């Protein structure tokens, strides 16, 4: 981690040394994963799609019944971190808000800024090998009970991390979760996007309980600039085999082409470069 | 939080002021809920069932592919915290091990010690009102894929906390999760135990993917002392209506009687006092 900005109790953000311990041992964010976060791409010294990220953070916080600081304070926090960052460098800005100490006290609110790693850049060029993993829940059930927090971006990512380790152990780069009824959902830290017959598609968040992908939504909103229409729809993994391109999109890594899904090779798609350029990600 | 002991990189535990920030902003325990924890009851200045808790912590860490410090160091950490605690006071000892900073570095390992709250003591006497909540996953599916971390006690408890808030919002004290196929599973921070016809029962962890309850297992191992036999078995919530006692057991709160399940009043059971005394919990 190379840069840390902390929002004080007075809602004034300050840059502090990145290795400063800032969380108490009983912060519910730290001992219960009870908090929310967002990651935004930083280019030209500015956070990209910050409004959409803060909108989603507000939705996540509402699902957790968590009081966020005023939006202006979160914007100031992001600005403070970005101003201390070399404008020429691409980065990943993470904004975190916890529930605060179990014994009472204000939430812990901070932002970190890290460079995009060489590994992430390499995957933009090479694409990724993906394996499917059944989650065991039918799509309709995931959204039935708000207390199960479907679609909220919380700090409780232990299963997400375990599934990415599972992918590595199986010789893949990433995982595509699949519902009990056989529909593709999302990856642990990215969204699924695919192109078929001039229609750029992603999985419908409201219907499936997946996280609403900020990069995916932005990409679909600009599909017309590439001559396509856009649509949310359910898809089975096998139906992706003859798509004209399949991508995992995330704010840090951008759009990354899926080059194999289980044992099926995919692509390369000539559209990967067009999408990457449209979204302003360096390759 | 009233007491904090931290395990140094030299594996030497030290008591530090409880409000000392000890976690870095990029500790994966704090930003990904990527770590494990245990909570043990402390009485007479000693952690109760510490061996069983450390056994379970080792299983959780294995599921997460997380390297724990040597067991002796964790025992020393618990001892250090308990020695600094008034021997006459009952407490809840939490031991936490995170994956450490995302940018590299050792795991963060610490223990906190808190008094049992008046609220927890009151529930020991009054029992609790519980509502069922469907989790949407059939029991057989939960254990099929180890990467989904069924049975591991991780720091990713956002859903557990949200479900407890859901209970409060519905006028109840706690939640009983139910599988898609209608079987009672567990509560967000406790295990289900019930008595029927001289058999003390709990839900089978291996078959259902629930957390193996330390207090529940210990209680069942001592069922003979109360003149009962013990068995793990599946149960549907409606079948609990004519049990001779239904309890939620946890290390902090001990055995707490379920006095209503959804709209069905239960108990009071004359066995609650016997169980509480057997396990050495003050009332």
């Amino acid at each position: 981690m190379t840069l840390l900005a902390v929002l004080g109790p007075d809602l004034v953000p300050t840059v502090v040394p990145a290795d400063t311990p800032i969380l108490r041992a009983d912060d519910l964010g730290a001992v219960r994963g009870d908090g929310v976060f967002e990651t935004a791409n930083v280019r030209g010294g500015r956070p990209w799609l910050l409004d959409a990220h803060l909108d989603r953070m507000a939705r996540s916080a509402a699902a957790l019944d968590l009081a966020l600081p005023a939006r202006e304070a979160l914007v100031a926090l992001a600005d403070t971190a970005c101003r201390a960052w070399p404008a020429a460098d691409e980065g990943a800005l993470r904004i975190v808000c916890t529930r605060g100490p179990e014994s009472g006290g204000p939430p812990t609110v901070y932002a970190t800024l890290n460079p995009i790693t060489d590994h992430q850049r390499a995957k933009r060029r090479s694409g990724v090998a993906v394996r499917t993993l059944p989650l065991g829940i039918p799509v309709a059930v995931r959204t039935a009970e708000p207390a199960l927090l479907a679609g909220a971006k919380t700090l409780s990512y232990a299963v997400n991390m375990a599934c990415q380790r599972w992918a590595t152990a199986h010789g893949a780069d990433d995982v595509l979760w699949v519902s009990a009824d056989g529909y593709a959902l999302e990856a642990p830290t990215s969204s699924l996007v695919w192109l078929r017959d001039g229609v750029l598609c992603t999985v419908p968040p409201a219907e499936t309980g997946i996280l609403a992908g900020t990069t995916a939504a932005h990409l679909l909103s600009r599909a017309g600039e590439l001559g396509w229409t856009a649509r949310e729809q359910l898809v089975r993994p096998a139906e992706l085999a003859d798509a004209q391109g399949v991508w995992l999109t995330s704010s840090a890594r951008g759009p990354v082409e899926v080059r194999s899904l289980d044992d099926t090779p995919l692509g390369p798609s000539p559209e990967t470069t067009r999408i990457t350029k449209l979204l302003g990600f360096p390759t």
Side-chain angles (χ1 to χ4, degrees), chain A:
Chain A
M1 188 176 60
T2 54
L3 199 147
L4 169 62
V6 177
L7 195 66
D10 51 2
L11 299 187
V12 175
T14 318
V15 173
V16 300
D19 58 358
T20 309
I22 60 164
L23 290 146
R24 285 177 48 159
D26 70 337
D27 194 301
L28 288 162
V31 290
R32 291 285 184 263
D34 196 2
V36 296
F37 79 103
E38 284 292 325
T39 306
N41 191 263
V42 172
R43 71 266 296 261
R46 302 290 311 152
W48 187 57
L49 304 180
L50 182 63
D51 273 347
H53 284 291
L54 293 181
D55 286 348
R56 187 170 66 182
M57 184 174 242
R59 292 196 301 273
S60 297
L64 266 71
D65 196 17
L66 182 73
L68 285 184
R71 186 163 177 132
E72 302 74 50
L74 295 174
V75 171
L77 176 67
D79 282 350
T80 298
C82 289
R83 272 200 306 271
W85 186 253
D89 290 3
E90 190 191 4
L93 173 76
R94 183 189 288 149
I95 306 175
V96 177
C97 181
T98 77
R99 197 177 295 276
E102 196 170 22
S103 47
T108 308
V109 186
Y110 64 92
T112 61
L113 230 166
N114 287 293
I116 303 300
T117 65
D118 290 344
H119 181 76
Q120 288 171 315
R121 283 184 204 281
K123 294 302 173 187
R124 286 182 188 163
R125 293 187 294 269
S126 68
V128 285
V130 175
R131 294 200 75 84
T132 56
L133 184 70
L135 263 191
I137 316 179
V139 291
V141 171
R142 290 167 46 95
T143 56
E145 179 41 65
L148 300 181
L149 303 182
K153 195 168 176 71
T154 78
L155 300 173
S156 288
Y157 260 44
V159 168
N160 305 50
M161 300 295 101
C163 287
Q164 290 190 329
R165 287 191 297 274
W166 176 90
T168 303
H170 286 75
D173 298 298
D174 217 332
V175 167
L176 177 63
W177 284 327
V178 177
S179 72
D181 33 7
Y183 295 109
L185 294 171
E186 61 187 333
T189 60
S190 52
S191 313
L192 179 68
V193 173
W194 67 100
L195 177 69
R196 181 192 305 277
D197 303 331
V199 186
L200 194 64
C201 303
T202 193
V203 178
E207 198 173 327
T208 60
I210 65 168
L211 188 70
T214 303
T215 306
H218 178 79
L219 172 57
L220 261 68
S221 77
R222 298 180 64 184
E225 297 176 47
L226 298 174
W228 306 325
T229 57
R231 187 191 303 155
E232 289 182 352
Q233 67 170 74
L234 291 174
V235 69
R236 295 175 188 278
E239 295 169 344
L240 295 169
D242 60 353
Q244 284 89 55
V246 180
W247 299 273
L248 293 180
T249 63
S250 75
S251 296
R253 205 169 56 178
V256 171
E257 187 175 352
V258 179
R259 293 299 312 281
S260 70
L261 188 58
D262 294 330
D263 299 322
T264 307
L266 301 177
S269 169
E271 312 298 351
T272 297
T273 306
R274 293 180 71 209
I275 285 178
T276 304
K277 283 187 176 160
L278 176 74
L279 297 183
F281 283 91
T283 51

